[in-house]
Amino acid sequence: AGRGTGLTFHNWIYNANATTNIYADGYAAIRRANAIIENVKNLSSGAVADNARAEALAIRAMVHLDIVKYFGKAYTQAADADLGVPYVIQTADASPSRESVKSNYDKIVADLIDAEKTINASNGIGRLNKAAVQGLLARVYLFRGEWQNCVDAATRCLTSSPSVGSIANFPAIWKDVSNDGVLFKLNIIDKDGVQVGVNYSQTSSAGTRPEFVVDFDFYGKYQATDIRKTAYFVTNSFSAVKYNNIFKHFGRASGNANVVDVKALRTSEILISRAEAYARLNKNTEALVDLNTLRQSRYSNFVVGIETGADLLTAILFERRLELAFEGHRFFDLKRLGLGVTRSSFGDKSDGTGINNVTKTLPAGDIHFQLPLPQSEINANPNIVQNPGY
């Protein structure tokens, strides 16, 4: 029923002339971070300078991570020679070359470790702070498959920020009434003109017109006693047709529709990442404690789980999928796990009937797990080479 936006990516038919702006936008943010790093010495206060430099380092690392996730192979799937993206560390670098995926990740880790040393714990969640940097390190180590490093970074983060958001507070997080369990978010106001939720739906007097809806099969995986089902989804109508709409980005109780802060990093991600790392280290007891901590904060009928071994890891990955849905994680989780995409045969209506996906599968290792670099970048920079297959 929507406008048909995003279908290029949804159907994996992108090319070098129809790709995402994340490359150009990402390097714009990186350039600004580098400008701060290069000029921060001019600040009179050493403590202020150290904190500002650390924030810029963390942003530089975070954005490089996002870009290499899109344009390079997963770290655990990449050979030494597989190309990632340019790791730009100075504003004067106008024609950088692509480095290896592994080099990218090494430099991301180095920037975050450097940032952790001097960033303030008290910066607040609208800026990167020490716990957020530690959480980002846990994210990177998970993607590298470095399980003990992931555990250690996650533990440092969770020691100062243990809450994953209570059942009572959880729906309010998505309305910006509560920050319970939020480590870092992008503060967005109406004047910014950034409508986060418009990519999923638009609401008007005619009803809610869906751009994308939750897959009916996935919708059914949320139990009625799971607070996420009502926090993430709402069933309503457009042109007398009912859809299960993605509710978590609808916006605040007042103000412009679809304007809401972007929760870039939440404690629950760090907790479930640590649970996975523990499980892969065969530390089942510790992994189960983390898993049950999250489940206790989501299910009103919570019963202590007793999974072990392979069943425990399956349960952790399942809970990760439920928890982080529609926050930009699933595609990259499949990629790092070496899995393909298999979509259901259900339609778009609330009862599973209606229009079905045109493309249903993306095999593991397919070239479309790496986006093509923009042709405009290749034209402008002779040192940039395209990804294979494009």
Side-chain angles (χ1 to χ4, degrees), residues 139-206:
R139 178 187 284 179
V140 176
Y141 287 133
L142 184 81
F143 273 78
R144 284 166 67 110
E146 296 178 1
W147 311 123
Q148 189 58 56
N149 283 338
C150 178
V151 166
D152 293 343
T155 299
R156 295 198 301 276
C157 171
L158 295 168
T159 297
S160 59
S161 300
S163 176
V164 295
S166 67
I167 290 178
N169 290 337
F170 195 72
I173 294 170
W174 308 103
K175 295 295 182 183
D176 293 335
V177 176
S178 173
N179 291 318
D180 191 6
V182 180
L183 284 168
F184 172 53
K185 69 176 184 177
L186 305 180
N187 293 318
I188 298 176
I189 61 174
D190 285 349
K191 289 183 179 180
D192 291 329
V194 178
Q195 295 177 290
V196 178
V198 79
N199 298 294
Y200 291 108
S201 63
Q202 305 90 45
T203 300
S204 68
S205 57

Side-chain angles (χ1 to χ4, degrees), residues 41-263:
K41 61 182 180 293
N42 296 323
L43 293 174
S44 58
S45 169
V48 172
D50 288 345
N51 181 60
R53 176 180 175 275
E55 287 184 83
L57 282 170
I59 290 169
R60 184 170 79 183
M62 186 178 190
V63 178
H64 275 110
L65 176 62
D66 283 341
I67 297 173
V68 73
K69 282 162 52 182
Y70 276 102
F71 297 100
K73 290 185 177 180
Y75 184 92
T76 51
Q77 314 293 325
D80 289 345
D82 281 326
L83 292 178
V85 297
Y87 204 92
V88 180
I89 61 171
Q90 56 184 358
T91 56
D93 195 353
S95 301
S97 300
R98 297 180 70 180
E99 304 176 22
S100 71
V101 168
K102 294 188 176 181
S103 173
N104 286 163
Y105 274 82
D106 287 345
K107 291 180 178 180
I108 290 166
V109 168
D111 272 352
L112 291 174
I113 289 175
D114 193 358
E116 184 186 2
K117 296 173 184 175
T118 58
I119 197 166
N120 290 341
S122 57
N123 283 343
I125 63 171
R127 295 163 58 184
L128 284 162
N129 55 55
K130 191 175 290 290
V133 170
Q134 293 161 343
L136 285 172
L137 270 169
R139 178 187 284 179
V140 176
Y141 287 133
L142 184 81
F143 273 78
R144 284 166 67 110
E146 296 178 1
W147 311 123
Q148 189 58 56
N149 283 338
C150 178
V151 166
D152 293 343
T155 299
R156 295 198 301 276
C157 171
L158 295 168
T159 297
S160 59
S161 300
S163 176
V164 295
S166 67
I167 290 178
N169 290 337
F170 195 72
I173 294 170
W174 308 103
K175 295 295 182 183
D176 293 335
V177 176
S178 173
N179 291 318
D180 191 6
V182 180
L183 284 168
F184 172 53
K185 69 176 184 177
L186 305 180
N187 293 318
I188 298 176
I189 61 174
D190 285 349
K191 289 183 179 180
D192 291 329
V194 178
Q195 295 177 290
V196 178
V198 79
N199 298 294
Y200 291 108
S201 63
Q202 305 90 45
T203 300
S204 68
S205 57
T208 301
R209 178 175 63 174
E211 201 73 14
F212 290 91
V213 296
V214 55
D215 180 77
F216 186 74
D217 176 70
F218 184 50
Y219 181 73
K221 296 184 186 302
Y222 288 85
Q223 299 178 24
T225 55
D226 186 343
I227 189 63
R228 293 170 298 203
K229 190 156 194 172
T230 53
Y232 288 4
F233 311 113
V234 63
T235 301
N236 46 23
S237 298
F238 183 75
S239 298
V241 178
K242 287 186 176 181
Y243 300 97
N244 297 320
N245 286 290
I246 297 158
F247 184 58
K248 67 192 297 184
H249 305 301
F250 260 37
R252 306 179 182 109
S254 61
N256 291 350
N258 290 313
V259 175
V260 67
D261 294 340
V262 176
K263 289 74 182 176

Side-chain angles (χ1 to χ4, degrees), residues 259-298:
V259 175
V260 67
D261 294 340
V262 176
K263 289 74 182 176
L265 189 64
R266 296 197 292 122
T267 310
S268 59
E269 177 200 338
I270 311 309
L271 182 70
I272 204 67
S273 294
R274 187 174 72 173
E276 180 181 342
Y278 272 139
R280 295 188 186 280
L281 290 168
N282 295 317
K283 294 184 177 181
N284 285 356
T285 300
E286 294 89 341
L288 186 59
V289 168
D290 282 351
L291 177 60
N292 281 330
T293 296
L294 179 60
R295 292 193 291 203
Q296 186 175 16
S297 299
R298 299 294 180 264

